[in-house]
Amino acid sequence: MTTIRTGLMARRCFGRFVGRLAGAISFLVLAMLVASPSARAVPRVPANDSEIVETLPAVAGWSREERRLRRELVARPRDEGVALAAAQSYLDLARSQGDARYAGHALGVLQAWQPLTASTPNAILVMHATVAQFLHDFDGAERTLRMALASHPDDAQGWLTLATILRVRGRYDESDTACRSLVRLRQNVFALACLAENNGLRGDHPAAQQSLQALLENPLLQEKRQASTRQWLLTTEAEIAELAGRDAQADAAYRQALGAGAGGYVALAYSDFLLQRNRAAEVLPLLRGEVRSDAVLLRIVMAQKRLAAQGKLPAPLHEAAQRDAAELAARFDAAALRPGSAQLHAREHAMFALDVQGDAAQALALARLNVQLQREPIDLLVFARAAAAARDDGARDEVRALMQQIGLRDARVDAVLGGAS
């Protein structure tokens, strides 16, 4: 089976987004490798050689191989193979560490091909689009992918990535077209899963579940090396079951997905499922081993808040919970100071305002801002919950209109709009 990276992580990008880095990085590759990764409006000049400008986290993923790649990039910045390997390595770090600065480095190693044109190597275009997608530059990623696919319509990874971006934006019919291009390329597993996910979003849950189950029973997907594909399919099955209001089925699929291997996205999705069903006590052990990205820390703080309100948070954890909440608030405050970054953080910030701070008005404003950028089910659910908490009938109508416009069917949103949050 051809190796294609699935859209699992792309569907709910998470981490400390530092702004739309696509097109904004103007440094040479060498400068990107040695400069401090923190963006500053005014350069900071150390007073002396002993002053520490910034302490970077120790990252176990920075292996000897990755250090070798960085050295080769300095010597040969336009070596396509080296650049692609280094960019993928940085993107993997961004995903695993929940730190978008590494995605900025991934774009940096691709700078030698700027400006991107139709003559740019196709693999560079697809990689650039994939990184831009992670940074929520969906418009830029779509433009780059369409340019790549116009000259290389046989690029399966490009079509799957484009289908994912269009789905995230709520453009299901266009996503279907990209999915069907995978059939022409004989990538039937990915094509069928891609179409099943879109069908599930539209409300055709039985057909979607049937397609996913047939794929999961495929002998080829029982092999150990297909674990990530199985996890993608199981997570998709769980999310479709949630849309249909089938909690027991969703729970079972999430647990199977977690058993298929490590996956930060799955842990976050299952945490949301647990929180929505008043099972906060299960969230803390689930996230204990995850990197404390904004999204992970948010779910931890939400779980602690729920447990404290129920008198179920152990006394020794109260002080830690207060520190966690203060840390998360400081992160959102810092993000708000970065020009153009408010929309990139809006989903998690809206959840924090609603479920931790109890500020329904701010949550509603942030949720409304967020759906201008992305329209996944979680985005509409947060919007609906904020509208209900704010007792804003006009906002409820906005959610209903948007659901109808994009064709999304979600039992959770229907329940919120019909009653209390």
Side-chain angles (χ1 to χ4, degrees), residues 34-325:
V34 301
S36 165
S38 295
R40 298 180 175 87
V42 178
R44 176 183 170 190
V45 180
N48 54 65
D49 290 344
S50 63
E51 180 179 349
I52 297 175
V53 176
E54 181 173 3
T55 301
L56 296 178
V59 179
W62 283 21
S63 65
R64 179 181 302 175
E65 172 65 15
E66 287 159 334
R67 290 194 293 272
R68 180 190 66 78
L69 286 172
R70 292 198 293 276
R71 288 195 300 271
E72 291 191 14
L73 273 172
V74 173
R76 304 192 307 279
R78 285 186 65 86
D79 185 309
E80 182 180 339
V82 172
L84 288 170
Q88 186 63 60
S89 176
Y90 277 126
L91 183 57
D92 289 344
L93 277 173
R95 287 169 171 163
S96 65
Q97 299 296 314
D99 191 336
R101 292 180 297 182
Y102 299 125
H105 291 334
L107 289 182
V109 302
L110 302 176
Q111 272 299 107
W113 285 271
Q114 289 291 348
L116 300 176
T117 67
S119 62
T120 301
N122 193 69
I124 296 293
L125 291 175
V126 173
M127 177 59 73
H128 195 286
T130 303
V131 179
Q133 173 198 28
F134 177 84
L135 292 167
H136 281 190
D137 180 13
F138 298 124
D139 290 338
E142 181 182 346
R143 284 194 302 271
T144 301
L145 284 171
R146 291 196 183 281
M147 180 165 57
L149 292 167
S151 56
H152 291 82
D154 58 345
D155 191 313
Q157 182 68 67
W159 284 115
L160 184 60
T161 305
L162 180 60
T164 301
I165 291 172
L166 294 169
R167 180 184 304 119
V168 167
R169 305 305 295 276
R171 293 155 59 186
Y172 302 150
D173 289 347
E174 293 176 73
S175 181
D176 282 346
T177 300
C179 296
R180 292 191 183 99
S181 295
L182 293 166
V183 176
R184 176 176 53 81
L185 300 177
R186 297 182 179 179
Q187 298 297 330
N188 291 339
V189 169
F190 298 100
L192 292 173
C194 187
L195 290 167
E197 186 165 1
N198 289 346
N199 285 336
L201 291 167
R202 291 189 183 95
D204 192 355
H205 306 128
Q209 294 282 0
Q210 185 176 3
S211 293
L212 291 170
Q213 276 300 311
L215 291 172
L216 286 165
E217 292 167 5
N218 187 324
L220 293 176
L221 291 181
Q222 310 309 312
E223 300 176 11
K224 187 175 181 179
R225 61 191 179 93
Q226 297 299 335
S228 62
T229 300
R230 284 187 59 80
Q231 186 177 67
W232 171 46
L233 296 174
L234 286 165
T235 305
T236 302
E237 181 179 31
E239 292 178 324
I240 290 173
E242 275 200 87
L243 296 176
R246 299 170 184 163
D247 288 0
Q249 186 178 354
D251 197 319
Y254 273 130
R255 290 181 179 277
Q256 284 184 276
L258 288 168
Y265 174 87
V266 182
L268 282 176
Y270 191 39
S271 294
D272 287 341
F273 174 86
L274 295 172
L275 286 166
Q276 290 159 18
R277 284 146 190 86
N278 199 29
R279 294 164 60 184
E282 299 175 52
V283 173
L284 298 181
L286 176 63
L287 297 179
R288 186 172 293 130
E290 298 295 328
V291 175
R292 284 164 62 96
S293 65
D294 289 354
V296 169
L297 184 56
L298 171 63
R299 273 70 179 187
I300 291 173
V301 170
M302 288 170 61
Q304 291 168 337
K305 174 89 170 180
R306 300 271 181 91
L307 292 173
Q310 298 166 3
K312 297 179 180 178
L313 186 68
L317 295 183
H318 277 258
E319 187 175 341
Q322 292 174 351
R323 287 197 303 269
D324 287 342

Side-chain angles (χ1 to χ4, degrees), residues 350 353-355 358-364 381-393 395-396 416-417 419-421:
L354 181 61
D355 292 308
D359 189 339
Q362 184 187 24
L364 180 56
L381 179 58
V382 172
F383 193 8
R385 292 184 62 241
R391 299 181 180 179
D392 188 324
D393 290 338
R396 291 178 194 244
V416 169
L417 293 178
S421 65

